[in-house]
Amino acid sequence: MNIVSNILTVDLEDWFVVENLKGNIDQSEWPKLKHRIEENTIALLQIFRQHGVHATFFVLGWVAEHYPHLIGELTYSGHEIACHSYAHHRVDRLDKEKFREDTQRAMEVILKTSGHLPFGYRAPSWSINSRVPWAWEVLADLGFRYDSSVYPIKHDIYGEPDAPRDIYRLGLESGRTLYELPASTIRLAGRNMPIGGGGYLRLSPYWYTSSMIRKQNAKGRPVMVYIHPWEIDVEQPRIDGLTMFQKYRQYGSLSTMARKLHRLLSEFDFVTALDYVNVSTRKPIGFES
């Protein structure tokens, strides 16, 4: 029986960046807030080293600019460095040129801090969808070879429920090719249900997550796990003015996330997004046929 390799990814951003807090924290406040990104990322790296795995880090350009040594450490440790925008603006709220400018700015910082340009991109808050098809053209034009920005679910913040659930090839009008790695879902009661990432991983009981991953793997499908460094941080600063639901999304089960991650990495096989694309498409990225 073949072992299915799942995909391990990290959105490298600090706690105050997330969409859940956008109405409470303005970007102009970021420099003045308590930063937790460095110690939380180091803690993640220790977990990954313990289990001998490498991840794809979708790096926020703002983080790379303020913590260049952290990106150097990730690169030195053999992890894939990909792009997560510069300022965490939703793509579906930008125009084409603003999106290009933000992405180019992030790419320049990533090149400076890691030594190479990224092959992969993930939009903030899964915000590339059918309403902004030009975004894929911009990514291809900038040299990206794969994207991981589509979530095939219905959600109050994001989602494209009718999108394909497996990796697929985007044939763009320009004639270029871009591969899309959608967030993982499973079909339950006729609906796409999210598994294995972010709040869905953190807030779900471990038995549910592991059983859903096994179901997908049994069908030969990988599951893409995604986490944020702040999700293992029990000392994450609390802010006032949040609804009960926002608090649950932000602070729920922080104390259990590291344990869940240890169990996942012990029980399942994981590779980077780039390694998965190379194997599944049988066309190593970085080489033109």
Side-chain angles (χ1 to χ4, degrees), residues 222-268:
V223 167
M224 180 163 59
V225 167
Y226 68 93
I227 58 177
H228 307 82
W230 57 264
E231 290 188 285
I232 64 169
D233 185 8
V234 294
E235 297 180 11
Q236 181 187 152
R238 269 54 170 178
I239 64 170
D240 297 326
L242 300 184
T243 65
M244 290 299 295
F245 187 49
Q246 286 176 312
K247 290 178 182 178
Y248 177 67
R249 273 183 170 171
Q250 194 72 22
Y251 310 128
S253 299
L254 293 177
S255 62
T256 67
M257 188 63 159
R259 290 200 304 273
K260 288 177 181 176
L261 189 55
H262 274 295
R263 292 187 67 180
L264 278 176
L265 299 182
S266 297
E267 295 178 22
F268 298 95

Side-chain angles (χ1 to χ4, degrees), residues 185-196:
T185 58
I186 193 165
R187 292 289 289 177
L188 292 174
R191 297 179 59 191
N192 293 345
M193 301 299 291
I195 54 173

